[in-house]
Coordinates of all heavy atoms in Angstrom, one line a residue:
L1 N 0.8 -1.2 0.0 CA 0.0 0.0 0.0 C 0.8 1.3 0.0 O 0.4 2.3 -0.5 CB -0.9 0.0 1.2 CG -2.1 -0.9 1.2 CD1 -2.9 -0.9 2.5 CD2 -3.0 -0.7 0.0
E2 N 2.0 1.2 0.6 CA 2.9 2.4 0.7 C 3.3 2.8 -0.7 O 3.4 4.0 -1.0 CB 4.1 2.1 1.6 CG 3.7 2.1 3.1 CD 3.0 3.3 3.6 OE1 3.4 4.5 3.2 OE2 2.0 3.2 4.3
A3 N 3.7 1.9 -1.6 CA 4.1 2.2 -2.9 C 2.9 2.9 -3.7 O 3.1 3.8 -4.4 CB 4.6 1.0 -3.7
L4 N 1.7 2.3 -3.5 CA 0.6 2.9 -4.2 C 0.3 4.3 -3.6 O 0.0 5.2 -4.4 CB -0.6 2.0 -4.0 CG -2.0 2.5 -4.6 CD1 -1.8 2.7 -6.1 CD2 -3.1 1.5 -4.3
K5 N 0.4 4.5 -2.3 CA 0.2 5.8 -1.7 C 1.2 6.8 -2.3 O 0.8 7.9 -2.6 CB 0.3 5.7 -0.2 CG 0.0 7.0 0.5 CD 0.2 7.0 2.0 CE -0.5 6.0 2.7 NZ -0.2 6.0 4.2
T6 N 2.5 6.4 -2.4 CA 3.5 7.3 -2.9 C 3.2 7.7 -4.4 O 3.3 8.8 -4.7 CB 4.9 6.6 -2.9 OG1 5.2 6.3 -1.5 CG2 6.0 7.5 -3.4
A7 N 2.8 6.7 -5.2 CA 2.4 7.0 -6.6 C 1.3 8.0 -6.7 O 1.3 8.9 -7.5 CB 2.1 5.7 -7.3
I8 N 0.3 7.8 -5.8 CA -0.9 8.7 -5.8 C -0.4 10.1 -5.4 O -0.8 11.1 -6.0 CB -2.0 8.2 -4.9 CG1 -2.6 6.9 -5.5 CG2 -3.1 9.2 -4.7 CD1 -3.5 6.1 -4.6
N9 N 0.3 10.2 -4.3 CA 0.7 11.5 -3.7 C 1.7 12.2 -4.7 O 1.7 13.4 -4.7 CB 1.4 11.3 -2.4 CG 0.3 10.9 -1.3 OD1 -0.9 11.2 -1.4 ND2 0.8 10.2 -0.3
D10 N 2.5 11.5 -5.4 CA 3.4 12.1 -6.4 C 2.8 12.4 -7.7 O 3.4 13.0 -8.6 CB 4.6 11.1 -6.6 CG 5.5 11.0 -5.5 OD1 5.4 11.7 -4.5 OD2 6.4 10.0 -5.5
G11 N 1.5 12.1 -7.8 CA 0.8 12.5 -9.1 C 0.9 11.5 -10.2 O 0.4 11.8 -11.3
V12 N 1.6 10.4 -10.0 CA 1.8 9.4 -11.0 C 0.5 8.8 -11.4 O 0.3 8.5 -12.6 CB 2.8 8.3 -10.5 CG1 2.9 7.2 -11.6 CG2 4.1 8.9 -10.2
L13 N -0.4 8.7 -10.5 CA -1.8 8.2 -10.8 C -2.8 9.3 -10.6 O -3.8 9.1 -10.0 CB -2.0 7.0 -9.8 CG -1.1 5.8 -10.0 CD1 -1.3 4.8 -8.9 CD2 -1.2 5.2 -11.4
S14 N -2.6 10.4 -11.2 CA -3.5 11.6 -10.9 C -4.9 11.4 -11.4 O -5.8 12.0 -11.0 CB -2.8 12.8 -11.5 OG -2.7 12.7 -12.9
N15 N -5.1 10.5 -12.4 CA -6.4 10.2 -12.9 C -7.2 9.1 -12.2 O -8.3 8.8 -12.5 CB -6.4 9.9 -14.4 CG -5.9 11.0 -15.2 OD1 -6.2 12.2 -14.9 ND2 -5.2 10.8 -16.3
L16 N -6.6 8.5 -11.2 CA -7.2 7.5 -10.4 C -8.3 8.0 -9.6 O -8.1 8.9 -8.8 CB -6.1 6.8 -9.5 CG -6.5 5.5 -8.8 CD1 -6.9 4.4 -9.8 CD2 -5.4 5.1 -7.9
K17 N -9.5 7.5 -9.8 CA -10.7 8.0 -9.1 C -11.3 6.9 -8.2 O -12.1 7.2 -7.3 CB -11.8 8.5 -10.1 CG -11.3 9.5 -11.1 CD -11.0 10.8 -10.3 CE -10.5 11.8 -11.3 NZ -9.5 12.7 -10.8
L18 N -11.0 5.6 -8.5 CA -11.7 4.5 -7.7 C -10.7 3.3 -7.8 O -10.2 3.1 -8.9 CB -13.0 4.2 -8.4 CG -13.8 3.0 -7.8 CD1 -14.3 3.3 -6.4 CD2 -14.9 2.6 -8.7
I19 N -10.6 2.6 -6.7 CA -9.9 1.4 -6.7 C -10.9 0.3 -6.5 O -11.6 0.3 -5.5 CB -8.8 1.4 -5.5 CG1 -7.8 2.5 -5.8 CG2 -8.1 0.0 -5.4 CD1 -6.9 2.8 -4.6
V20 N -10.8 -0.7 -7.3 CA -11.7 -1.9 -7.2 C -10.8 -3.1 -7.0 O -9.9 -3.4 -7.8 CB -12.6 -2.1 -8.5 CG1 -13.5 -3.4 -8.3 CG2 -13.5 -0.9 -8.7
A21 N -11.1 -3.8 -5.9 CA -10.3 -5.0 -5.6 C -11.2 -6.2 -5.7 O -12.2 -6.4 -5.0 CB -9.7 -4.9 -4.2
D22 N -10.8 -7.1 -6.6 CA -11.5 -8.4 -6.8 C -10.6 -9.5 -6.6 O -9.7 -9.8 -7.4 CB -12.1 -8.4 -8.2 CG -12.9 -9.6 -8.5 OD1 -13.2 -10.4 -7.5 OD2 -13.3 -9.8 -9.6
S23 N -10.7 -10.1 -5.6 CA -11.7 -10.1 -4.5 C -11.0 -9.9 -3.2 O -9.8 -9.9 -3.1 CB -12.4 -11.5 -4.5 OG -11.5 -12.5 -4.1
L24 N -11.8 -9.8 -2.1 CA -11.3 -9.5 -0.8 C -10.3 -10.7 -0.4 O -9.2 -10.5 0.1 CB -12.4 -9.4 0.2 CG -12.0 -9.3 1.7 CD1 -11.1 -8.2 2.0 CD2 -13.3 -9.3 2.5
I25 N -10.8 -11.9 -0.6 CA -9.9 -13.0 -0.3 C -8.6 -13.0 -1.0 O -7.6 -13.4 -0.5 CB -10.7 -14.4 -0.4 CG1 -9.9 -15.5 0.3 CG2 -10.9 -14.7 -1.9 CD1 -9.7 -15.4 1.7
G26 N -8.6 -12.6 -2.3 CA -7.4 -12.5 -3.0 C -6.4 -11.5 -2.4 O -5.2 -11.8 -2.3
I27 N -6.9 -10.4 -1.9 CA -6.0 -9.4 -1.2 C -5.5 -10.1 0.1 O -4.3 -9.9 0.4 CB -6.7 -8.1 -0.9 CG1 -7.0 -7.4 -2.2 CG2 -6.0 -7.2 0.1 CD1 -7.9 -6.2 -2.0
L28 N -6.4 -10.7 0.8 CA -6.0 -11.3 2.1 C -4.9 -12.4 1.9 O -3.9 -12.4 2.6 CB -7.1 -11.9 2.8 CG -8.2 -10.9 3.3 CD1 -9.4 -11.7 3.8 CD2 -7.7 -9.9 4.3
K29 N -5.1 -13.2 0.9 CA -4.1 -14.3 0.6 C -2.8 -13.7 0.0 O -1.7 -14.3 0.3 CB -4.7 -15.3 -0.5 CG -5.9 -16.1 0.0 CD -5.5 -17.1 1.0 CE -6.7 -18.0 1.3 NZ -6.3 -19.0 2.3
A30 N -2.8 -12.6 -0.6 CA -1.6 -12.0 -1.1 C -0.7 -11.5 0.1 O 0.5 -11.4 0.0 CB -1.9 -10.8 -2.0
T31 N -1.3 -11.2 1.2 CA -0.6 -10.7 2.4 C -0.2 -11.9 3.3 O 0.8 -11.8 4.0 CB -1.4 -9.7 3.2 OG1 -2.6 -10.3 3.7 CG2 -1.7 -8.5 2.4
D32 N -1.0 -12.9 3.3 CA -0.7 -14.1 4.1 C -1.4 -15.3 3.5 O -2.6 -15.4 3.6 CB -1.1 -13.9 5.5 CG -0.8 -15.0 6.5 OD1 -0.5 -16.1 6.0 OD2 -0.9 -14.8 7.7
A33 N -0.7 -16.3 3.0 CA -1.3 -17.4 2.3 C -2.2 -18.2 3.2 O -3.1 -18.9 2.7 CB -0.2 -18.3 1.7
N34 N -2.0 -18.2 4.5 CA -2.8 -19.0 5.4 C -4.0 -18.2 6.0 O -4.8 -18.7 6.7 CB -1.9 -19.4 6.6 CG -0.8 -20.4 6.1 OD1 -1.0 -21.2 5.3 ND2 0.4 -20.1 6.6
L35 N -4.2 -17.0 5.6 CA -5.2 -16.1 6.1 C -6.6 -16.5 5.4 O -6.6 -16.7 4.2 CB -4.9 -14.7 5.8 CG -5.7 -13.6 6.5 CD1 -5.6 -13.7 8.0 CD2 -5.2 -12.2 6.1
D36 N -7.6 -16.5 6.2 CA -8.9 -16.6 5.6 C -9.8 -15.4 6.0 O -9.5 -14.7 7.0 CB -9.6 -17.9 5.8 CG -10.2 -18.1 7.2 OD1 -10.5 -17.1 7.9 OD2 -10.4 -19.3 7.6
E37 N -10.9 -15.2 5.4 CA -11.8 -14.1 5.6 C -12.5 -14.1 7.0 O -13.1 -13.1 7.3 CB -12.8 -13.9 4.5 CG -13.8 -15.0 4.3 CD -13.4 -16.1 3.4 OE1 -12.3 -16.2 3.0 OE2 -14.4 -16.8 3.0
N38 N -12.4 -15.2 7.7 CA -13.0 -15.3 9.0 C -12.1 -14.9 10.1 O -12.5 -14.9 11.3 CB -13.5 -16.7 9.2 CG -14.7 -17.0 8.2 OD1 -15.6 -16.3 8.1 ND2 -14.5 -18.2 7.6
S39 N -10.8 -14.7 9.8 CA -9.9 -14.4 10.9 C -9.9 -12.9 11.3 O -10.5 -12.1 10.6 CB -8.4 -14.7 10.4 OG -8.0 -13.7 9.5
D40 N -9.4 -12.7 12.5 CA -9.3 -11.3 13.0 C -8.5 -10.5 12.1 O -8.7 -9.3 12.0 CB -8.8 -11.3 14.5 CG -9.7 -11.9 15.5 OD1 -10.9 -12.0 15.2 OD2 -9.2 -12.4 16.5
K41 N -7.5 -11.1 11.5 CA -6.6 -10.3 10.6 C -7.3 -9.7 9.4 O -6.9 -8.7 8.9 CB -5.4 -11.2 10.2 CG -4.4 -11.5 11.2 CD -3.3 -12.3 10.7 CE -2.3 -12.7 11.8 NZ -1.2 -13.5 11.3
A42 N -8.4 -10.4 9.0 CA -9.2 -9.8 7.9 C -9.8 -8.5 8.3 O -9.8 -7.6 7.5 CB -10.3 -10.8 7.5
G43 N -10.3 -8.4 9.5 CA -10.9 -7.2 10.0 C -9.8 -6.1 10.1 O -10.1 -4.9 9.7
I44 N -8.6 -6.4 10.5 CA -7.5 -5.5 10.6 C -7.2 -5.0 9.2 O -7.0 -3.8 9.0 CB -6.3 -6.1 11.3 CG1 -6.6 -6.4 12.7 CG2 -5.1 -5.2 11.1 CD1 -5.6 -7.3 13.4
M45 N -7.2 -5.9 8.2 CA -6.8 -5.5 6.8 C -7.9 -4.5 6.3 O -7.6 -3.6 5.6 CB -6.7 -6.7 5.9 CG -6.6 -6.4 4.5 SD -5.1 -5.5 4.1 CE -3.9 -6.8 4.2
I46 N -9.1 -4.8 6.5 CA -10.2 -3.9 6.1 C -10.1 -2.6 6.7 O -10.2 -1.5 6.0 CB -11.6 -4.6 6.3 CG1 -11.8 -5.8 5.4 CG2 -12.7 -3.6 6.1 CD1 -13.0 -6.7 5.7
T47 N -9.8 -2.5 8.0 CA -9.6 -1.2 8.6 C -8.4 -0.5 8.0 O -8.5 0.7 7.8 CB -9.3 -1.5 10.1 OG1 -10.5 -2.1 10.7 CG2 -9.0 -0.2 10.9
Q48 N -7.3 -1.2 7.7 CA -6.2 -0.5 7.1 C -6.5 0.0 5.7 O -6.1 1.1 5.3 CB -5.0 -1.5 7.0 CG -4.4 -1.8 8.3 CD -3.3 -2.9 8.2 OE1 -3.3 -3.7 7.3 NE2 -2.5 -3.0 9.2
L49 N -7.3 -0.8 4.9 CA -7.7 -0.3 3.6 C -8.6 0.9 3.7 O -8.5 1.9 2.9 CB -8.4 -1.4 2.8 CG -7.5 -2.5 2.4 CD1 -8.3 -3.7 1.8 CD2 -6.5 -2.0 1.3
K50 N -9.5 1.0 4.7 CA -10.4 2.1 4.9 C -9.5 3.3 5.2 O -9.7 4.4 4.7 CB -11.4 1.8 6.0 CG -12.3 3.0 6.3 CD -13.3 2.7 7.4 CE -14.1 3.9 7.6 NZ -15.0 3.7 8.8
Q51 N -8.5 3.2 6.1 CA -7.6 4.3 6.5 C -6.9 4.7 5.3 O -6.7 6.0 5.0 CB -6.7 3.8 7.6 CG -5.8 4.9 8.1 CD -4.8 4.4 9.2 OE1 -4.8 3.3 9.5 NE2 -4.1 5.4 9.7
F52 N -6.4 3.8 4.5 CA -5.6 4.2 3.3 C -6.5 5.0 2.3 O -6.1 6.0 1.8 CB -5.2 2.9 2.5 CG -4.6 3.1 1.2 CD1 -3.2 3.5 1.1 CD2 -5.3 3.0 0.0 CE1 -2.7 3.7 -0.2 CE2 -4.7 3.2 -1.2 CZ -3.4 3.6 -1.3
S53 N -7.7 4.5 2.1 CA -8.7 5.2 1.3 C -8.9 6.7 1.7 O -8.9 7.6 0.9 CB -10.0 4.5 1.3 OG -11.0 5.2 0.6
E54 N -9.1 6.9 3.0 CA -9.3 8.2 3.6 C -8.0 9.1 3.4 O -8.2 10.2 3.1 CB -9.7 8.1 5.1 CG -11.1 7.5 5.2 CD -11.4 7.1 6.7 OE1 -10.5 7.2 7.6 OE2 -12.6 6.7 6.9
E55 N -6.8 8.5 3.6 CA -5.6 9.2 3.5 C -5.4 9.8 2.1 O -4.9 10.9 1.9 CB -4.4 8.4 3.9 CG -4.4 8.2 5.4 CD -3.3 7.2 5.8 OE1 -2.5 6.8 5.0 OE2 -3.2 6.9 7.0
V56 N -5.7 8.9 1.1 CA -5.4 9.3 -0.3 C -6.6 9.9 -1.0 O -6.5 10.5 -2.1 CB -4.9 8.1 -1.2 CG1 -3.6 7.6 -0.7 CG2 -5.9 7.0 -1.3
G57 N -7.8 9.9 -0.4 CA -9.0 10.5 -0.9 C -9.6 9.8 -2.1 O -10.2 10.4 -3.0
I58 N -9.4 8.5 -2.1 CA -9.9 7.6 -3.2 C -10.7 6.5 -2.6 O -10.1 5.7 -1.8 CB -8.7 7.1 -4.1 CG1 -8.0 8.3 -4.8 CG2 -9.3 6.2 -5.2 CD1 -6.8 7.9 -5.6
P59 N -11.9 6.3 -3.0 CA -12.7 5.2 -2.5 C -12.2 3.8 -3.0 O -11.6 3.7 -4.1 CB -14.1 5.4 -3.0 CG -14.0 6.4 -4.1 CD -12.7 7.1 -4.0
I60 N -12.3 2.8 -2.1 CA -12.0 1.5 -2.5 C -13.2 0.6 -2.4 O -13.9 0.6 -1.4 CB -10.9 0.9 -1.6 CG1 -9.6 1.8 -1.6 CG2 -10.6 -0.6 -1.9 CD1 -8.6 1.4 -0.6
V61 N -13.5 -0.2 -3.5 CA -14.5 -1.1 -3.5 C -13.9 -2.5 -3.4 O -13.1 -2.9 -4.2 CB -15.4 -1.0 -4.8 CG1 -16.4 -2.1 -4.8 CG2 -16.0 0.3 -5.0
L62 N -14.3 -3.2 -2.3 CA -13.8 -4.6 -2.1 C -15.0 -5.6 -2.5 O -16.1 -5.5 -2.0 CB -13.5 -4.9 -0.7 CG -12.4 -4.0 -0.1 CD1 -12.3 -4.3 1.4 CD2 -11.1 -4.4 -0.7
L63 N -14.7 -6.4 -3.5 CA -15.7 -7.4 -3.9 C -15.5 -8.7 -3.1 O -14.4 -9.1 -2.9 CB -15.5 -7.8 -5.4 CG -15.6 -6.6 -6.4 CD1 -15.4 -7.1 -7.8 CD2 -16.9 -5.9 -6.2
H64 N -16.6 -9.1 -2.6 CA -16.6 -10.3 -1.8 C -17.8 -11.2 -2.3 O -18.9 -10.8 -2.3 CB -16.9 -10.0 -0.3 CG -16.8 -11.2 0.6 ND1 -15.6 -11.9 0.8 CD2 -17.6 -11.7 1.5 CE1 -15.8 -12.8 1.6 NE2 -17.0 -12.8 2.1
H65 N -17.4 -12.3 -2.9 CA -18.4 -13.1 -3.6 C -19.3 -13.9 -2.6 O -18.9 -14.2 -1.5 CB -17.7 -14.1 -4.5 CG -16.8 -13.3 -5.5 ND1 -17.4 -12.7 -6.7 CD2 -15.5 -13.0 -5.6 CE1 -16.4 -12.1 -7.4 NE2 -15.3 -12.3 -6.7
T66 N -20.5 -14.2 -3.1 CA -21.4 -14.9 -2.2 C -21.1 -16.4 -2.1 O -20.3 -16.9 -2.9 CB -22.9 -14.8 -2.8 OG1 -22.9 -15.3 -4.1 CG2 -23.4 -13.4 -2.8
S67 N -21.7 -17.0 -1.2 CA -21.5 -18.5 -1.0 C -21.9 -19.2 -2.2 O -22.8 -18.8 -3.0 CB -22.3 -18.9 0.2 OG -22.3 -20.3 0.3
K68 N -21.3 -20.4 -2.4 CA -21.7 -21.3 -3.5 C -22.9 -22.1 -3.2 O -23.5 -22.9 -4.0 CB -20.6 -22.1 -4.0 CG -19.4 -21.3 -4.6 CD -18.3 -22.2 -5.0 CE -17.2 -21.3 -5.6 NZ -16.0 -22.0 -5.9
D69 N -23.4 -22.0 -1.9 CA -24.5 -22.7 -1.4 C -25.8 -22.2 -2.1 O -26.3 -21.1 -1.7 CB -24.6 -22.6 0.1 CG -25.8 -23.4 0.7 OD1 -26.6 -24.0 -0.1 OD2 -26.0 -23.3 1.9
K70 N -26.3 -22.8 -3.1 CA -27.5 -22.3 -3.8 C -28.8 -22.3 -3.0 O -29.7 -21.7 -3.4 CB -27.6 -23.1 -5.1 CG -26.5 -23.0 -6.0 CD -26.7 -23.6 -7.4 CE -25.5 -23.6 -8.3 NZ -24.8 -22.4 -8.5
E71 N -28.8 -23.0 -1.9 CA -30.0 -23.1 -1.0 C -30.0 -21.9 0.0 O -31.0 -21.6 0.5 CB -30.0 -24.4 -0.2 CG -30.0 -25.6 -1.1 CD -31.3 -25.7 -2.0 OE1 -32.4 -25.4 -1.4 OE2 -31.2 -26.0 -3.2
A72 N -28.9 -21.2 0.2 CA -28.8 -20.1 1.1 C -29.7 -19.0 0.7 O -29.8 -18.7 -0.5 CB -27.4 -19.7 1.3
R73 N -30.2 -18.3 1.6 CA -31.1 -17.1 1.3 C -30.6 -15.9 2.1 O -30.1 -16.0 3.2 CB -32.5 -17.4 1.7 CG -33.1 -18.5 0.9 CD -33.5 -18.1 -0.5 NE -34.1 -19.1 -1.3 CZ -33.7 -19.7 -2.4 NH1 -32.5 -19.3 -2.8 NH2 -34.3 -20.6 -3.0
G74 N -30.9 -14.7 1.5 CA -30.6 -13.5 2.2 C -29.2 -13.3 2.7 O -28.3 -13.6 1.9
A75 N -29.0 -12.9 3.9 CA -27.6 -12.7 4.4 C -26.8 -13.9 4.5 O -25.6 -13.9 4.6 CB -27.7 -12.0 5.8
N76 N -27.5 -15.1 4.6 CA -26.8 -16.4 4.6 C -26.0 -16.7 3.3 O -25.2 -17.6 3.3 CB -27.8 -17.5 4.9 CG -28.3 -17.4 6.3 OD1 -27.7 -16.9 7.2 ND2 -29.6 -17.8 6.5
R77 N -26.3 -15.9 2.3 CA -25.5 -16.1 1.0 C -24.1 -15.6 1.1 O -23.3 -15.9 0.3 CB -26.3 -15.5 -0.2 CG -27.6 -16.1 -0.5 CD -27.7 -16.8 -1.8 NE -26.9 -16.4 -2.9 CZ -26.4 -17.2 -3.7 NH1 -26.6 -18.5 -3.5 NH2 -25.6 -16.8 -4.7
F78 N -23.9 -14.7 2.1 CA -22.6 -14.1 2.3 C -21.8 -14.9 3.3 O -22.3 -15.3 4.3 CB -22.7 -12.7 2.7 CG -23.4 -11.8 1.7 CD1 -24.7 -11.5 1.7 CD2 -22.7 -11.3 0.6 CE1 -25.3 -10.8 0.7 CE2 -23.3 -10.6 -0.4 CZ -24.6 -10.3 -0.3
R79 N -20.5 -15.1 3.0 CA -19.6 -15.8 3.9 C -18.6 -14.8 4.3 O -18.4 -13.7 3.8 CB -18.9 -17.0 3.2 CG -19.8 -17.9 2.5 CD -19.0 -19.0 1.8 NE -17.9 -18.3 1.1 CZ -16.8 -18.8 0.7 NH1 -16.5 -20.1 1.0 NH2 -15.9 -18.1 0.1
G80 N -17.8 -15.2 5.3 CA -16.6 -14.5 5.6 C -16.7 -13.8 6.9 O -17.4 -14.2 7.9
H81 N -16.0 -12.7 7.0 CA -15.7 -12.0 8.3 C -17.0 -11.6 9.0 O -17.0 -11.6 10.2 CB -14.8 -10.8 8.0 CG -14.3 -10.2 9.3 ND1 -13.4 -10.8 10.1 CD2 -14.6 -9.0 9.9 CE1 -13.1 -10.1 11.2 NE2 -13.8 -9.0 11.1
S82 N -18.0 -11.3 8.3 CA -19.3 -10.8 9.0 C -20.2 -12.0 9.3 O -21.2 -11.8 9.9 CB -20.0 -9.9 8.0 OG -20.4 -10.5 6.9
S83 N -19.8 -13.2 9.0 CA -20.7 -14.4 9.3 C -20.7 -14.7 10.8 O -19.8 -14.4 11.5 CB -20.1 -15.6 8.6 OG -20.2 -15.4 7.2

């Protein structure tokens, strides 16, 4: 994130208006291969991304895919940290 912040602050990415991350689990796994979206570290990562977004003034959209359980309904279709 620091390299991205530097590029934004230096104007290298001056046209950047939105960051879309697909998917949340991909970001988590990039930082720690053993991490899953249910761990406390996932919440910490989300907090860090929110802080980063506020510091650089660019919104971040994190995509988190629904469960593959076709029988699940409503909020039960979502898995992960909020489960």
Side-chain angles (χ1 to χ4, degrees):
L1 287 177
E2 288 305 314
L4 181 56
K5 186 188 302 184
T6 299
I8 292 167
N9 290 337
D10 290 349
V12 174
L13 300 172
S14 61
N15 291 328
L16 187 62
K17 304 294 181 214
L18 176 69
I19 298 170
V20 178
D22 182 10
S23 69
L24 173 58
I25 191 64
I27 292 172
L28 296 174
K29 294 286 185 182
T31 60
D32 181 345
N34 297 315
L35 191 62
D36 78 24
E37 65 267 18
N38 295 311
S39 75
D40 291 338
K41 289 182 181 179
I44 293 168
M45 173 63 75
I46 291 170
T47 299
Q48 290 172 339
L49 289 170
K50 181 180 178 185
Q51 182 179 7
F52 173 84
S53 174
E54 291 170 353
E55 287 174 5
V56 297
I58 298 173
I60 300 174
V61 175
L62 296 173
L63 299 181
H64 187 61
H65 301 281
T66 59
S67 169
K68 293 180 182 175
D69 179 1
K70 297 189 186 310
E71 300 297 317
R73 297 283 183 243
N76 292 328
R77 294 243 338 137
F78 297 98
R79 305 175 317 156
H81 191 67
S82 63
S83 297

